[in-house]
Amino acid sequence: MGQSTPIRPLDGTSHLFLVGQSRHGFWVARDLEGRSEGIFREKKDALRFALFEGGHANAVMLSPSAVEPSYGMGVH
């Protein structure tokens, strides 16, 4: 397989977020650089957080797989 390169934000002030539901049913919005994360009961709240924190309309990627909170440990 080819090597993948990390997705970079559009500029220094924007961030890309991964949004998905955890195994426990909570919605997680996590900055791909591990700087910011939120855990929510509702999908709409996770999306709102990611869009606001991301800084642009294309800041959010919805995950088809479970997204577990990192609890401040960064993205692994």
Side-chain angles (χ1 to χ4, degrees):
M1 286 193 168
Q3 287 191 335
S4 63
T5 57
I7 299 172
R8 296 286 176 211
L10 296 177
D11 61 42
T13 61
S14 63
H15 300 277
L16 295 174
F17 278 80
L18 182 64
V19 175
Q21 197 167 25
S22 73
R23 291 176 291 169
H24 299 289
F26 292 102
W27 286 89
V28 178
R30 184 170 55 217
D31 176 352
L32 292 181
E33 295 180 9
R35 296 183 194 176
S36 181
E37 179 178 75
I39 303 169
F40 305 89
R41 289 182 188 249
E42 302 288 332
K43 179 180 180 180
K44 66 179 176 64
D45 296 325
L47 290 171
R48 183 181 301 133
F49 172 82
L51 287 168
F52 179 78
E53 291 291 318
H56 60 89
N58 295 322
V60 179
M61 294 185 299
L62 289 174
S63 174
S65 303
V67 176
E68 299 302 328
S70 68
Y71 300 109
M73 301 300 288
V75 178
H76 299 284

